[in-house]
Each structure stands twice: as structure tokens, then as C-alpha cells.
Amino acid sequence: MVRSSLDMDTALRTALTGLAVYARSDAAPTLATADALDLFESQATSRHLDLAARRLGAAGRGYYSIGSAGHEGNAAVAAALRVDDPALLHYRSGAFFVQRCRRIPGLDPVRDVLLGVVAAAADPISGGRHKVFGSKAASIIPQTSTIASQLPRAVGLAFALDRAARQGVRCPWPADAVVVCSFGDASANHSTATGAINAAVHAAAQGVPMPIVFVCEDNGLGISVPTPPDWIESAYGPRPGLTYLAADGCDLPDVLGAADDAVQLARTWRTPVFLHLRTVRLGGHAGSDVEAAYRGPAELAADLARDPLLGTARHLHATGLAEAPELLERYDRIGAQVRATAEEVVRESRLDSAAAVIAPLAPARPDAVRAEVVRSWSPGEVAGPRGQRAGSPATPSFGDGTPGGSRTAEGPQAGAAGTDTRPPVMTLAQAINHTLGELLARDRDVLVFGEDVGRKGGVYGVTKGLRKRFGARRVFDTLLDEQAVLGTALGTALAGFVPIPEIQYLAYVHNAADQIRGEAATLSFFSNGQYRNPMVVRIAGLAYQKGFGGHFHNDDSLAALRDIPGVVLAVPARADDAAAMLRTCVSAARVDGRVCLFVEPIALYHTRDLHPGDESWLAAPSSGHVPIGSARVYGDGTDLTLVTFGNGVPMSLRVADRLAARGVRARVLDLRWLNPLPVRDLLEHAAATGRVLVADETRRGGGVSESVYAALIDAGYAGALARVTSADSFVPLGPAADTVLLGEAEIESAALRMTAPER
């Protein structure tokens, strides 16, 4: 019975000593001596790294102990691939990592893994932030331990390889590369895995190149929950369009043969392959797991007898490639090297400040972003309508230097005197369509895709005509699966594209939130900025639709997006802002690798009027730049500051007009950016009036207004402060929606209360 990692090590050493009793085989070796010994050394290195991690953890000097013991057959998968085949690895693919890195001069997988275990700042992949298998030089993209979350990205990357070559987009990997993605048998049951594999098969069925090898490392357990012995084969073996291969993961030649076949099929035919490795798990799920509590002695002993290192040693001995004493000497020599390196890395410094930890999260080079935005301008283009002050607060201020102005779209002015070269005014939806067209025309690395965005042109017509103009390789429809949509974005971003995926409705984002939170937002964090996934996710959202409602089409929940570190959240309210903010997001993605969420208020898509018939909500799409985290002010009233965003902007402007008729002069501050909040502008305009009313269309609990309050209070604002919000409710169908959504009457009543003369 294996009670500890020490037992596992002792059992293996004892078995290696007794190899001499096994008879030689008359069969010719299937592996060359050098190759076989090389793979054994990679397997042994991975095993000793597991043992070291547990010793370090027990001594309080290490922080990660999920090991790869029993899965070391995956070293043969690494051997079957080229070092420039991108890999997204399971957290038990340690031997794969070792074998891949040992093939690249200058890499030291022993030191690299142990630096991660002790959370050292010198860890070459994460910089001490997390223990991950990753290496820029080895084309291993670091992954979290979130179950199966890397599979959609892997599928997206496989999809992107051919597309990048055909479109002339510079990709880090060659056009004939194969993507490999490993995961466990329990993960294979997760909706993320099943959806990703379905997406790969669906694409391949349509003739889309999909060179990917899915490697299921099946040890029969999900922590303590057993996987039926025939389940993986039953679930994935008979799948049309998916080549299924299986091997004994404890038999090195068997794994290598199957892996060679899998890689050759994927590379030659550019189709998905499922490689099923039957492995064992030795030593429990992690260092804290006492598996004897749920597994019997016989079961544990049976797994120990199938130790893949012992299997490789028996093969080497039986075929005459190595003698038992030589194998034991190699095993012990590697163990000594690992132990010596472990003693060295514990002396390395750790991250010691919040600034150091968060440095890769949100890189910001605003000057470079601005330069990237204006690169698109040609003579005669303009930034939009020129700012001028008018008597009504409904007339926007464009930061033209007059008192109370704020930063807005920055760009060239109109042409020569007497020449009006400004584009026609548009609705918000038209401006987004116009800007997407310009971005697609300017840069071949831009992709626009999502559900119904191609042939139909989007549910609301926002992408209408783009597929016809730019072709189905640039603008295309996807599966009805948000995880697949975002996975495509994650993979294409790795391959050199700047993807602009669309999620049809805000409520649907939550079906796939982990692809943003657990994958997109963390990649630069876990790779210390070496890998990034620039992307701008367009999301139709918020409430107030007329004639087509209900919760799923009128969702106002932004809280789950606003608290993701490093993610930009933009909410434009007008056509000119939408165009400029979209350009800024795309440039921030390209320049800084930012992940931007661009929430488009559905109810404002086709709005033309602020007041009936005035068409004042139309605007020329700006070709300029709106700095991330900058607000927009309307009016220069000194009695009250209405702070709002999205649908709240036109509502607040109408309220401001009615307040003006009562002698109350209000200004309206459109936040525009909800992460990061425009704190500087917020404080400036709060101080200008001494009264702040936050008009927040999201819910009262967890809504935007809470963060606005916190920003003001943290900065020492001492003026009057109030808020009006939507109710803590889902949005119902029909007129009942008005009972839970923020309305103009509530804004006006609160404003009058705040500005009423004191008695």
C-alpha cells in the first residue's frame, strides 16, 4: 500500500533493483537506445520533481503539489511532436514538459518547474505568480487548473494556424504545426471539453482545417470520483469526424506508436484526433489528499504495479537497451540533481509587493495606443462633430478648452476653410458597423465573428454587409456556443490576429464567463506578459428594448465583468463615442494585448432622437481616440452632477433639460468606461457642483453605483451624494419591466430632492 510519496519512491527503486530476474526478449527494440534512455530520463525527472514538490510543501517551503506521477507516459507524446507545435497542457503533463524543454538548448526544466513550486520571482514563465507548465521558447502556453478551460482556446488556435498563413498574418508557429491539448478523464465530462471537441469536429466536417490532437490522460479518477473503465472510449471512440486512438499510458512504446500516428494524421490531413492514454495516478490527487480514505489497498497496489517508469525500465532491460544497475544509477543521479536544485531555488526571492504581482495584468501605453488609433486617418477624415457650448445641457461638450470640458475623441479637424469633409451622421449601430468596416479594411489581422454576424449581419444588423465586403474568412458565423466563440477569439489572438467576437446578448456571456475570467484575463498574469490574447468582445446588452424583452434580452448584470482584473469594460452611449471607443479598444488590444469588453446598449442601437423628432442623438462616427478611463461631460451646470452611462445618458440629459426649466443647472457626466472608472473626471465634476446623483441602470446590489460611491468616498469627496438604480430583480417581459428598471421620473425626483432649498 502506498501511503506516501516516499513509499512510491522506495517501491520503484526496489523494483528497479530486481529487474535482473526478468528474462530478455527476442523481439527487436522498437526504440533506438538513445531515444529510449532519453525518454526514461524525462520520466524520471518528472517523478523526482513531484517528490521534491511534496518535500518542499511538507517543509513549508513549497506551495504546489499536484503531481504527474503515473502519467509519465506523456513524455512519448512530446517526443512525437515538433518543438514548434504549440502545446496546452494538463496539470499532470509534467513529463511532456520536461521532454519538450530538454530538446531546446538553454532550457532547464528542473530549475524552471521548481522555481514555480516555490513561487520564486525568477520563475521564467509566471514570475512567481502561479505554478504552471509553460515556456515561450518551448511553445507551451501556460494554463490554469480550471477544469478543461484550455480546450476552447486550443481549438481556436488550431483553427487559426491555416487562416493566418492564408491571410498573411504573422503567426508564432508554422502553418503546418499541430496543436496538442492534454486533459484528464474527469475533465472530459465537463461542458467546456465536450463543447470544444464538438466545435473541432463541426469545423472539420465543413472542410475547415483543424490540426489538433486531444490527449486524454485517463487515470480513472476525478479526485475521488471514479470514471468507468470504458467511459472515455464509449463517449469519444465512435464519434464521426474524430479519429480515436488508444494506448496504454504505462507502456512507453505503445504510447509513442499511437502518438506518432495521431500527430501524423493531424499534420497530414489537418483534422482532429483523440488520443486516449490509460494511465494511473500515484500518490493521490495532491499532497494534501489521503487517497487511502477512498481507495482500497488492492487498488493502490494494482496502480503501483503499473508504474510507467517501471514499465519503461522493464522494456529497456528486456530489449537489452539498458541494464538494471544503469537504470537505477540514472534514476538516483537525476534525483540528486533535483534535490540539489530544490535547495538552490528556495533561496530565490519572491514577489514582495502588490505592484510587482499585478504588473502584467493591465499594461498601458496610452501614447502608443493613441498613435495606433490615428494611424488609420487619411486626409479629410475628422474626429466627429466639433464641440461647442450651447444653452441646453443636451448639447455635448467636446473638451474644446472651454470651462467644464472633458476629454473626448482626439483627432484631426475638418479640411480647409469652407470645405465640409465630415462623414454623415449615424445611429450607434451604424457607427459601429462603419468602424468595423474601417478596421477590417485597414488591418488584415482583424477578424469579426459570432453567432449570426456573417450572412444575417447580426440580430440587430450591426455587422450587415461586412461579410460581403471582406469575405467569409474575415467575417464569419460560429456555432451557437459562447464558449466556442470566445475560445476562437483566444486561439486566434495567440496566432497573431486581433479578434472582435460578438456575443449576442449580455445574459449569454455568463454561459462562458470562465473563458474571459479564467483564460483571457489570466494569460498575461500567468506568463508574466510573455503570452497575451488581444481581443475586443462586442456584447449587445443592457435593458429598455421595446417590443422584445424578457430577462435574456434585457440583462443589466455587469458586476460579473467589472471585477475581472485587467479587463477593460466600455459602454458607449452615442455614435461618435462608439466609433472612437471601439478604435481605442482595438488599438489597446493590438498594442498592449488588452482584453476589452465592449457593451453596446441595444435600446440605443437605432435611436435617432433625444427629444421627439430632433435627431440630435445621431452623430458622425469619430475617427479619433478616446483614452481608456476618460469620461464625457454634457453641459457646465453648477447645481448638480448627474453621473451615469449607457441608457442613463439620454435619460439624464432629458432630465437635465427639465431641471433647467425649473432653474436647476445640471451637468451630465457619462462615465463611458466602467473598468477602469474615470476617477479623475468623476472627482473633477463632483467637486464642480458639490452634489452628485448617480443614475445607474444596473441593479442596486452589485451595480456600478457602488463603485462610483467608493471612488468618491475614497478620494475624500464630502459633498452631497445619492443614487437611483434599477431593482435587484431580473427584467420581466412587457410593461412590467418598467416597474424594476430605472426611469426618468426617479432620476428627476431624486435630483429635485438634492437641489431643493434648505428650510
Side-chain angles (χ1 to χ4, degrees):
M1 175 177 169
V2 181
R3 292 182 299 275
S4 68
S5 56
L6 179 62
D7 290 345
M8 179 172 59
D9 182 49
T10 301
L12 177 60
R13 296 187 80 263
T14 300
L16 290 176
T17 303
L19 277 179
V21 301
Y22 288 88
R24 299 286 191 182
S25 171
D26 294 332
T30 56
L31 296 173
T33 302
D35 293 339
L37 290 173
D38 184 64
L39 287 170
F40 175 77
E41 291 201 351
S42 291
Q43 292 181 302
T45 301
S46 178
R47 176 65 57 84
H48 280 296
L49 286 170
D50 287 348
L51 298 173
R54 297 201 174 198
R55 285 194 298 268
L56 289 167
R61 301 192 295 175
Y63 309 99
Y64 190 91
S65 59
I66 297 180
S68 301
H71 287 237
E72 290 91 352
N74 56 43
V77 179
L81 291 154
R82 299 192 317 226
V83 295
D84 59 1
D85 288 324
L88 299 89
L89 298 181
H90 181 40
Y91 51 74
R92 296 198 193 280
S93 296
F96 181 112
F97 179 82
V98 171
Q99 174 65 20
R100 168 70 67 90
C101 291
R102 290 179 69 222
R103 295 167 64 187
I104 300 173
L107 294 188
D108 182 352
V110 171
R111 183 174 180 81
D112 291 353
V113 169
L114 291 174
L115 285 168
V117 168
V118 301
D123 171 13
I125 186 63
S126 79
R129 291 170 183 84
H130 202 277
K131 162 62 181 68
V132 290
F133 290 130
S135 169
K136 184 73 170 177
S139 294
I140 299 175
I141 296 96
Q143 304 302 310
T144 69
S145 295
T146 307
I147 300 302
S149 63
Q150 78 271 31
L151 269 72
R153 184 202 293 276
V155 173
L157 179 54
F159 165 83
L161 293 174
D162 173 79
R163 195 145 299 206
R166 288 175 179 265
Q167 292 179 205
V169 172
R170 181 180 295 179
C171 177
W173 299 284
D176 68 340
V178 169
V179 176
V180 62
C181 180
S182 57
F183 52 96
D185 52 291
S187 299
N189 297 309
H190 198 281
S191 64
T192 312
T194 59
I197 294 170
N198 178 73
V201 174
H202 183 273
Q206 299 175 79
V208 176
M210 187 54 62
I212 185 168
V213 177
F214 297 105
V215 181
C216 180
E217 301 184 14
D218 177 8
N219 63 29
L221 288 165
I223 304 183
S224 66
V225 179
T227 298
D230 59 350
W231 172 245
I232 296 299
E233 182 176 2
S234 299
Y236 292 100
R239 183 75 182 265
L242 181 67
T243 301
Y244 173 88
L245 300 173
D248 181 352
C250 302
D251 182 334
L252 190 70
D254 194 30
V255 175
L256 187 58
D260 278 335
D261 290 345
V263 172
Q264 183 177 358
L265 285 168
R267 197 180 308 281
T268 302
W269 299 104
R270 318 305 282 169
T271 56
V273 179
F274 190 100
L275 177 58
H276 179 195
L277 302 182
R278 295 181 176 87
T279 68
V280 293
R281 191 188 74 189
L282 303 178
H285 174 72
S288 59
D289 177 34
V290 182
E291 61 178 352
Y294 54 85
R295 301 184 73 193
E299 185 181 357
L300 292 170
D303 277 1
L304 190 61
R306 293 190 61 221
D307 185 336
L309 268 71
L310 181 56
T312 300
R314 284 172 175 164
H315 171 78
L316 292 169
H317 171 75
T319 55
L321 296 178
E323 299 294 336
E326 177 190 358
L327 293 174
L328 183 57
E329 186 277 328
R330 285 177 183 264
Y331 180 78
D332 286 344
R333 172 173 49 80
I334 291 169
Q337 176 200 353
V338 170
R339 286 191 296 274
T341 305
E343 289 303 313
E344 293 174 5
V345 299
V346 294
R347 296 191 289 270
E348 293 282 347
S349 61
R350 273 73 166 179
L351 296 172
D352 58 4
S353 70
V357 171
I358 68 177
L361 269 177
R365 292 176 288 171
D367 291 341
V369 171
R370 181 182 295 105
E372 168 67 15
V373 171
V374 303
R375 175 171 67 85
S376 66
W377 288 338
S378 60
E381 283 189 315
V382 299
R386 294 176 183 168
Q388 71 272 347
R389 291 283 178 180
S392 168
T395 302
S397 160
F398 283 85
D400 54 7
T402 56
S406 76
R407 294 166 288 170
T408 183
E410 305 166 357
Q413 300 302 310
T419 302
D420 188 357
T421 59
R422 288 177 287 187
V425 293
M426 299 180 180
T427 63
L428 186 144
Q430 291 169 335
I432 294 172
N433 177 281
H434 171 83
T435 305
L436 288 172
E438 290 194 336
L439 292 166
L440 284 159
R442 187 186 77 164
D443 294 305
R444 69 181 65 183
D445 61 0
V446 172
L447 299 175
V448 173
F449 54 88
E451 300 159 11
D452 298 307
V453 306
R455 296 164 66 95
K456 182 178 175 64
V459 172
Y460 296 96
V462 179
T463 56
K464 186 176 181 179
L466 296 179
R467 182 176 182 267
K468 184 176 182 179
R469 288 176 61 192
F470 299 101
R473 286 189 173 276
R474 305 281 309 282
V475 181
F476 53 90
D477 293 316
T478 65
L479 288 171
L480 194 71
D481 176 6
E482 285 73 27
Q483 291 185 128
V485 174
L486 294 174
T488 301
L490 290 164
T492 54
L494 276 176
F497 289 96
V498 180
I500 309 178
E502 177 187 301
I503 302 296
Q504 271 187 355
Y505 292 101
L506 177 59
Y508 299 170
V509 173
H510 306 302
N511 298 340
D514 185 56
Q515 291 301 299
I516 298 172
R517 178 183 300 274
E519 289 293 318
T522 62
L523 183 61
S524 62
F525 186 76
F526 290 135
S527 69
N528 201 16
Q530 297 171 76
Y531 285 105
R532 59 185 206 166
N533 29 227
M535 55 197 290
V536 181
V537 184
R538 293 181 45 249
I539 306 168
L542 304 178
Y544 303 98
Q545 282 196 82
K546 302 298 182 185
F548 185 55
H551 162 62
F552 286 104
H553 305 103
N554 280 277
D555 186 38
D556 57 3
S557 177
L558 295 173
L561 305 179
R562 290 191 58 253
D563 79 335
I564 304 175
V567 168
V568 173
L569 180 57
V571 184
R574 287 174 53 95
D576 45 0
D577 276 348
M581 292 169 70
L582 182 55
R583 291 180 188 277
T584 297
C585 285
V586 170
S587 292
R590 178 177 286 112
V591 170
D592 289 329
R594 298 300 293 271
V595 176
C596 301
L597 309 180
F598 194 80
V599 177
E600 302 164 5
I602 297 171
L604 299 180
Y605 266 151
H606 306 298
T607 297
R608 304 176 67 88
D609 304 333
L610 182 63
H611 300 285
D614 67 1
E615 295 200 337
S616 65
W617 210 245
L618 300 175
S622 170
S623 296
H625 167 245
V626 172
I628 292 173
S630 64
R632 177 174 184 169
V633 67
Y634 296 82
D636 56 4
T638 56
D639 296 327
L640 176 67
T641 300
L642 288 165
V643 176
T644 189
F645 64 94
N647 293 291
V649 178
M651 289 195 293
S652 295
L653 287 170
R654 286 188 288 267
V655 168
D657 277 345
R658 293 195 292 272
L659 292 174
R662 291 171 172 256
V664 177
R665 300 181 65 234
R667 65 181 65 194
V668 175
L669 188 71
D670 178 4
L671 295 170
R672 299 196 293 196
W673 306 93
L674 302 186
N675 194 32
L677 281 173
V679 175
R680 190 180 77 180
D681 293 335
L682 175 63
L683 295 174
E684 175 187 343
H685 293 286
T689 65
R691 297 186 186 92
V692 173
L693 174 61
V694 185
D696 178 7
E697 65 181 285
T698 63
R699 299 166 190 162
R700 192 166 188 83
V704 175
S705 60
E706 292 181 348
S707 292
V708 173
Y709 263 46
L712 289 169
I713 293 169
D714 287 350
Y717 172 74
L721 184 59
R723 62 176 176 147
V724 284
T725 71
S726 293
D728 288 330
S729 170
F730 298 110
V731 180
L733 191 65
D738 294 334
T739 66
V740 297
L741 293 175
L742 174 66
E744 291 182 29
E746 295 169 78
I747 301 172
E748 185 172 357
S749 295
L752 289 172
R753 287 194 299 272
M754 291 191 74
T755 57
E758 294 184 5
R759 294 181 179 179

